[in-house]
Amino acid sequence: MTRNATALQLTPELVAKTLRVVEDQGPEPNRTPISPAELDDLVHRIEAEADGDIWVFAYGSLMWNPGFAASASEPAIAYGWHRAFSLRIERLRATSAAPGLMLALRPGGSCAGRILKLPAETRRQELRTLLAREIRYAEVTGMVRWIPVRTPAGTRKVLTFWASTRHCPLTESIPLEEAAVLIAQACGPAGSCAEYLHRTVSDLCERNILDRNLWRLQEMVAARLNALPA
């Protein structure tokens, strides 16, 4: 069973209610921005662990905004993992006064997405840019790892970003009701969490991927936004 993006209850008009101009407040509270040397070490570690080509598992914003020109792309399913809004944030798409949530992979279930191949000619540069985008703080360098995924070409070892509570106390399993409250309220200099949810679910619909939790979540966020004054 699939869902059509036109059937989304979380509409662009509702998303517009969440958007506002927010000044950059700097790094996340109690987080240490990753240093260039630490980022280089992470790049070297990933390259050393890679078996030739580097493929990245895209399950959220990397599907609709990868930030690099992939040299190849395939549909893929990660068994034993699911996508969830489980990473608490107070920056980017949120503030300390109105915190929000971002997606990460959590153990259990299955997750359909795509894998993207880093171009060989610019692999190190693209990998460094990707890691700088996804791993912004020294405390969360353990939230990047390799997992196997199933593709039409067989099983591939791919890089992904996951919600490791051992490495980051900001990640946890969050009930949909609480997630809807946080997503409906949060906006930062990079946009709102509702916008992020809308773009992700819309992209999944266009790819005929049904994520029941995210579909229910967009309904709940839409209901909260519909209840706001016009």
Side-chain angles (χ1 to χ4, degrees), residues 8-19 192 194 218 221-228:
L8 284 172
Q9 292 185 29
L10 183 59
T11 63
E13 292 74 22
L14 288 176
V15 169
K17 288 186 174 185
T18 69
L19 299 174
S192 71
Q218 65 85 24
V221 172
R224 296 194 66 85
L225 296 177
N226 268 318
L228 294 176

Side-chain angles (χ1 to χ4, degrees), residues 133-176:
R133 163 181 162 170
E134 300 292 333
I135 305 294
R136 296 173 178 268
Y137 302 104
E139 292 84 359
V140 298
T141 54
M143 289 174 62
V144 56
R145 63 171 291 169
W146 299 94
I147 63 170
V149 297
R150 190 83 54 83
T151 79
T155 299
R156 291 193 188 277
K157 169 185 170 182
V158 302
L159 200 65
T160 197
F161 303 94
W162 69 304
S164 166
T165 54
R166 183 166 63 88
H167 293 287
C168 179
L170 295 180
T171 64
E172 58 184 296
S173 180
I174 298 173
L176 288 182

